[in-house]
């Protein structure tokens, strides 16, 4: 069985930082968003899809360097403030299965996230939504990861924190565990993931090993 981990909100507690940076940059451009707005609408989705949605919703064109502005500010915050999800390293090391990362973020952000949180050595194989035509909730990224790892979709188990990610895993015909231990997850988030189709939801990484074994 192949374990496929999302990065933001599953391996690293990045979403509160990222949502605030996105909101600040958009508000400075005259498009007022709160961090809560960003979390509700865009967590789990690619930058490309977020830009397309914002431009459609506001009938506007964002600056050509919008993504660069976001990443420049966010990467600086990551260097000083980003932390791993509590217990995630031990949880991963306790599992004997092959593993990889499949994230909506750009490769540079994933690499930085894993480096500053001390998790980079756990993953030889990292996949980004920039490598496929459609981001989550489409199944493309997870199917690409499975193909590159030489595993059938039915042999994969995905760990995801976003409704889009859960939907993508199910669309790829993979099993999925919802995770709600990130700093962006409010008390309603578990039910949101269940409504997206997650058959099981955990809120601590100490629960991961037993949950994986139950689903294997």
């Amino acid at each position: 069985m192949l374990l496929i981990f999302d990065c933001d909100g599953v391996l690293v507690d990045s979403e509160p930082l990222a949502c605030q940076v996105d909101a600040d940059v958009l508000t400075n451009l005259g498009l007022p968003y709160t961090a809560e707005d960003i979390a509700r609408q865009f967590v789990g989705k690619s930058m490309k899809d977020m830009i397309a949605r914002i431009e459609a919703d506001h009938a506007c064109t964002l600056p050509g360097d919008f993504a660069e502005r976001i990443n420049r500010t966010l990467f600086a915050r990551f260097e000083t403030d980003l932390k791993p999800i509590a217990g995630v390293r031990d949880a991963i090391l306790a599992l004997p299965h092959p593993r990889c990362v499949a994230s909506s973020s750009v490769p540079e952000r994933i690499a930085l996230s894993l480096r500053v949180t001390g998790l980079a050595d756990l993953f030889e194989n990292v996949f980004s939504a920039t490598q496929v035509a459609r981001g989550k909730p489409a199944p493309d990224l997870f199917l690409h990861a499975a193909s590159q790892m030489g595993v059938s979709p039915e042999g994969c188990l995905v760990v995801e924190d976003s409704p889009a990610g859960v939907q993508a895993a199910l669309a790829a015909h993979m099993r999925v565990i919802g995770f709600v231990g990130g700093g962006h997850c409010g008390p309603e988030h578990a039910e949101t993931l269940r409504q997206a189709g997650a058959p099981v939801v955990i809120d601590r990484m100490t629960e991961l090993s037993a949950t994986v074994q139950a689903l294997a």
Side-chain angles (χ1 to χ4, degrees):
M1 181 174 64
L2 173 66
L3 297 178
I4 303 179
F5 291 88
D6 180 39
C7 184
D8 299 293
V10 171
L11 300 176
V12 302
D13 201 9
S14 55
E15 294 295 10
L17 298 174
C19 291
Q20 190 60 61
V21 168
D22 290 353
D24 290 346
V25 172
L26 285 164
T27 299
N28 288 337
L29 289 171
L31 300 171
Y33 279 84
T34 65
E36 291 74 20
D37 294 332
I38 298 295
R40 184 175 62 256
Q41 297 181 45
F42 302 120
V43 161
K45 299 183 179 179
S46 69
M47 177 68 74
K48 178 179 70 173
D49 290 342
M50 183 176 82
I51 290 172
R53 167 77 179 278
I54 291 170
E55 290 184 336
D57 286 352
H58 296 276
C60 69
T61 300
L62 292 171
D65 66 344
F66 174 76
E68 181 183 343
R69 294 188 200 183
I70 293 284
N71 287 335
R72 183 169 59 246
T73 304
L74 185 61
F75 290 4
R77 290 287 304 276
F78 277 10
E79 289 281 5
T80 58
D81 297 344
L82 185 61
K83 305 297 182 189
I85 291 291
V88 69
R89 183 179 183 85
D90 289 343
I92 290 171
L93 290 174
L95 294 165
H97 310 289
R99 56 185 178 260
C100 67
V101 176
S103 168
S104 294
S105 294
V106 296
E108 297 83 359
R109 173 170 164 175
I110 304 168
L112 173 63
S113 296
L114 297 177
R115 175 178 64 78
V116 301
T117 55
L119 302 176
D121 63 303
L122 298 180
F123 297 99
E124 294 183 8
N125 298 281
V126 176
F127 305 101
S128 163
T130 60
Q131 297 173 290
V132 296
R134 300 177 299 169
K136 305 170 187 179
D140 302 30
L141 177 57
F142 290 140
L143 292 174
H144 174 70
S147 175
Q148 292 298 304
M149 297 292 288
V151 180
S152 70
E154 293 76 16
C156 298
L157 176 59
V158 177
V159 185
E160 262 289 353
D161 70 305
S162 72
V166 169
Q167 291 163 356
L170 295 175
H173 302 289
M174 298 177 180
R175 288 163 289 174
V176 60
I177 296 171
F179 179 69
V180 295
H184 65 296
C185 298
E188 76 292 338
H189 199 69
E191 182 57 29
T192 299
L193 295 188
R194 291 188 186 97
Q195 290 180 2
V200 59
V201 178
I202 62 175
D203 62 4
R204 295 180 182 85
M205 279 297 165
T206 52
E207 302 174 72
L208 182 64
S209 181
T211 306
V212 168
Q213 291 175 24
L215 294 175

